Amino acid sequence: MYSGYGQSFQEQRLQQLMEQKQLRDFMRMYANLVTQCFDDCVVDFTSNKLNDKELTCTTRCTLKSMKLNERLGQRFAEENAKLMEEQSKAAGL
């Protein structure tokens, strides 16, 4: 009975660690996005507001980056599903 409790605690701890890693990964991705789009798009520091060209550039940069990350996530999921299927087939042999 105690080992079942310990396993449940271990599973909960693993879940917490995975959630923390996902949050760190998301924050790192966000920081990289901000840095990349800022460096690529913001060139006029004489005003405290973005000009139209900078605004358009940052919008496009952000959307492009989000689409890229979405596509990478889809490809990762596809590859992971293939891997799981292959492992399942290999275990069945």
Side-chain angles (χ1 to χ4, degrees), residues 8-10 13 18 20 23-24 36 40 42 54 57 59 61-62 66 69 77-78 85 88:
S8 176
F9 176 77
Q10 288 176 346
R13 182 66 181 138
M18 287 174 38
Q20 289 172 355
L23 180 60
R24 278 193 309 270
Q36 182 68 44
D40 288 351
V42 180
E54 291 170 330
C57 180
T59 300
C61 180
T62 302
M66 289 172 56
N69 283 309
E78 291 168 6
E85 186 177 332
S88 178

Side-chain angles (χ1 to χ4, degrees), residues 42-86:
V42 180
V43 294
D44 181 9
F45 296 98
T46 61
S47 172
N48 63 352
K49 295 182 181 179
L50 297 175
N51 63 38
D52 289 341
K53 186 176 179 181
E54 291 170 330
L55 186 57
T56 300
C57 180
T58 55
T59 300
R60 286 182 180 162
C61 180
T62 302
L63 290 174
K64 188 175 183 178
S65 181
M66 289 172 56
K67 286 179 183 179
L68 171 69
N69 283 309
E70 180 181 354
R71 182 64 183 137
L72 287 173
Q74 289 172 346
R75 288 291 295 147
F76 177 78
E78 291 168 6
E79 292 299 318
N80 191 41
K82 286 180 189 177
L83 179 62
M84 296 299 284
E85 186 177 332
E86 291 171 3

